Amino acid sequence: MKVGRFPFAANSRATILGHHEGFVKVVSDERYGEILGVHIIGPEGFELIAEAVAAMEAEATVDTMVHNHPRPSHAFRRRWVRRVNAVYGLSINA
């Protein structure tokens, strides 16, 4: 398994809302990158649940998830490349 974590503190929308505490953690299959689970901790995390469930039901991989913004769900969507990098142990800003 590979695990990537993205803090709400690095999310522009969280800054606008004044809620920096929390994170999204993605657990994926090491070989194929399929999303196996998502932990969502923090304010307005409920907005991300449907996206995570849809991704897992579709057997999405960490490489196939790209979405627009701005919304609190931006932490799980638009900056997907950063979370993919985190899953692979690379710099979050690579």
Side-chain angles (χ1 to χ4, degrees):
M1 280 192 297
K2 293 276 191 172
V3 177
R5 182 176 164 161
F6 188 80
F8 282 175
N11 179 271
S12 300
R13 179 69 175 165
T15 299
I16 291 167
L17 295 172
H19 298 293
H20 294 105
E21 60 285 337
F23 61 91
V24 174
K25 182 168 70 172
V26 178
V27 180
S28 69
D29 173 72
E30 189 168 353
R31 184 170 182 187
Y32 298 108
E34 180 180 343
I35 299 168
L36 303 174
V38 177
H39 300 181
I40 304 166
I41 308 297
E44 301 193 37
F46 64 88
E47 185 182 319
L48 305 173
I49 294 169
E51 183 78 15
V53 171
M56 289 185 288
E57 286 292 319
E59 298 180 357
T61 68
V62 293
D63 298 315
T64 61
M65 295 294 296
V66 178
H67 295 277
N68 61 355
H69 76 293
R71 292 191 300 221
S73 59
H74 184 211
F76 185 70
R77 295 177 178 174
R78 184 168 181 286
R79 298 197 180 192
W80 193 253
V81 171
R82 290 183 181 177
R83 282 167 298 293
V84 170
N85 287 340
V87 167
Y88 291 115
L90 302 173
S91 168
I92 198 163
N93 290 319

